[in-house]
Amino acid sequence: MRVLGIESSCDETAVALVEDSPTGEVRLLCSIVSTQIPLHRQYGGVIPELASRNHSGRLPYLLREALESSSCTIAQVDAFAATGGPGLVAALLVGHTAAKAMALAAGKPFISVNHLEGHLLSPFLQGRRSRAAADAPEPHVALVVSGGHSLLLHVRGLGQYELMGRSQDDAAGEAYDKVAKMMDLPYPGGPEIDKLAERGDASRFDLPRPMLHEPNFDFSFSGLKTAALYLLPKLTPTGDPHELDEQTLCDLCASVRAAITEVLVRKARRALRHTGLRLLAVSGGVSCNSALRRELAAMCANEGAELLLPSAELTTDNAAMIAYAGLLHARVGEHSELTTPVDPNPTLAGYTVRQ
Ligand code: KG4
Ligand code: ZN
């Protein structure tokens, strides 16, 4: 089976093709991401109408390129999947409607995919194929850390997701982005902080780690933003972040990254211990973070657990994860009606995921 996936929920226009073999192994035929980040950067965040107009302009080219580079015709695609939410309505509509139109024209099924389910499944697309192929996803603890969400889930199988914990306020990615904005670093802030943090001393500033010791699986990151807000003016004579010396900036970034990382790693460890599961799959844009990847690897090694991380290209928004989620659902006969609307705030594991 071959599935074409489209992602257009926010500021990346993306198309991918996946194919499975009789043994259930899934091959990524192509994954193209056209980012609009430079376009939105000048505004310090995503402008919805600009995003949807650009999705609409870019998508036809990406579709053609994806099919041509995979030597595949539309007639050879068995199902068409697209992100149905969470996301910006006008942006979602572009990819969702395009996938519906292709499914209708080709007389093939359409599958509307929850973007967060795409992230959640993404670690299974590559790596450890032979074991996970036929019945992916196998039972595991999932840590989904994106720009809008920080979730810990107990995954029993496809579509069987139990929410264990989530952020009570800002998501991890959002915390990175907001703190970066205070320092006037370019959008999106997560990768910028990560880069600068590599040259910093994480012990220089003692930033809060809310809920770290609370006996639950929840997170809270808004206090970090407030702490940074109060700290910044103390570090320069005028409070202007541009006056921060290079080392202080790097130390601050390292301290912010250490605070976010410690909470995420501890709560993931708690979830592993609580469930007795020995597999942790981590996904979403923040799973690209180098300190998080290192600390999770060390924690999992200590716990005797296996860690599954998507490759760097599959951590931030992409269509490969949407095509893959579509394929897993199509494999068990789960399709969507062509009348399925986009949903900016769908539910996942009984929890309403707001964009
Ligand atoms: O999953 P994603 O691409 O989009 C959403 O579905 O939200 O995640 C984007 C988020 C942004 O907040 C971005 O700052 C963060 O992921 N991010 C990172 C890194 N790369 C991306 N955060 C920390 N370290 C990184 N290396
Ligand atoms: Zn995402």
Side-chain angles (χ1 to χ4, degrees):
M1 179 161 35
R2 252 182 215 172
V3 178
L4 184 145
I6 302 176
E7 158 62 34
S8 71
S9 66
C10 191
D11 56 358
E12 325 279 359
T13 322
V15 177
L17 275 158
V18 296
E19 179 182 69
D20 74 351
S21 67
T23 57
E25 274 192 31
V26 178
R27 212 156 61 90
L28 181 57
L29 298 180
C30 77
S31 173
I32 308 170
V33 181
S34 168
T35 185
Q36 301 179 10
I37 287 176
L39 199 69
H40 298 283
R41 187 168 268 167
Q42 57 192 305
Y43 305 101
V46 181
I47 307 293
E49 192 186 307
L50 206 55
S52 59
R53 276 199 252 165
N54 273 274
H55 287 312
S56 177
R58 293 175 189 200
L59 195 52
Y61 295 102
L62 298 190
L63 284 166
R64 183 175 305 158
E65 192 186 331
L67 289 165
E68 281 178 7
S69 70
S70 310
S71 307
C72 178
T73 63
I74 289 196
Q76 291 169 321
V77 175
D78 301 296
F80 296 86
T83 304
L88 306 165
V89 172
L92 289 165
L93 276 169
V94 177
H96 212 241
T97 308
K100 283 181 180 181
M102 286 189 288
L104 181 66
K108 301 282 174 57
F110 163 68
I111 302 137
S112 182
V113 174
N114 183 316
H115 180 86
L116 282 183
E117 187 185 29
H119 276 304
L120 182 152
L121 296 169
S122 63
F124 289 87
L125 175 52
Q126 293 167 318
R128 77 195 314 271
R129 295 225 185 106
S130 46
R131 264 176 63 200
D135 55 352
E138 58 197 280
H140 69 280
V141 170
L143 173 66
V144 184
V145 272
S146 70
H149 306 277
S150 303
L151 305 174
L152 259 173
L153 300 130
H154 179 163
V155 176
R156 295 181 191 274
L158 184 68
Q160 295 174 272
Y161 313 128
E162 274 167 36
L163 185 69
M164 297 186 73
R166 65 187 168 94
S167 177
Q168 299 294 326
D169 38 56
D170 292 350
E174 199 176 350
Y176 270 116
D177 294 342
K178 285 180 176 171
V179 174
K181 203 168 182 176
M182 285 179 208
M183 298 192 259
D184 206 27
L185 296 173
Y187 162 86
E192 297 294 325
I193 291 188
D194 196 14
K195 226 174 359 188
L196 293 166
E198 288 295 299
R199 291 185 274 129
D201 170 9
S203 65
R204 172 144 173 219
F205 302 107
D206 187 19
L207 295 171
R209 283 137 168 88
M211 305 188 83
L212 184 65
H213 299 293
E214 285 184 29
N216 57 26
F217 307 98
D218 290 333
F219 316 100
S220 163
F221 294 110
S222 68
L224 191 63
K225 183 182 60 188
T226 315
L229 190 68
Y230 285 117
L231 179 62
L232 267 171
K234 294 183 189 147
L235 300 175
T236 63
T238 62
D240 181 349
H242 297 105
E243 287 174 7
L244 285 175
D245 68 80
E246 177 78 7
Q247 194 54 53
T248 303
L249 180 66
C250 293
D251 292 347
L252 187 55
C253 288
S255 305
V256 167
R257 187 176 72 167
I260 294 176
T261 303
E262 187 178 354
V263 179
L264 292 174
V265 173
R266 283 279 197 97
K267 296 283 171 146
R269 185 179 73 181
R270 195 179 165 78
L272 282 173
R273 289 182 178 174
H274 180 81
T275 56
L277 290 163
R278 284 287 153 267
L279 178 60
L280 174 68
V282 188
S283 57
V286 180
S287 70
C288 195
N289 187 270
S290 37
L292 183 65
R293 289 173 98 93
R294 283 195 295 267
E295 303 282 323
L296 284 169
M299 181 274 283
C300 285
N302 266 333
E303 298 293 305
E306 188 179 354
L307 174 65
L308 264 189
L309 286 164
S311 59
E313 323 79 73
L314 297 189
T315 55
T316 45
D317 289 348
N318 64 84
M321 66 185 195
I322 304 303
Y324 179 59
L327 184 141
L328 294 187
H329 282 290
R331 221 148 61 170
V332 293
E334 290 171 5
H335 305 147
S336 309
E337 298 293 334
L338 286 177
T339 49
T340 306
V342 296
D343 186 352
N345 305 315
T347 56
L348 186 81
Y351 158 65
T352 303
V353 287
R354 302 197 181 278
Q355 52 102 0

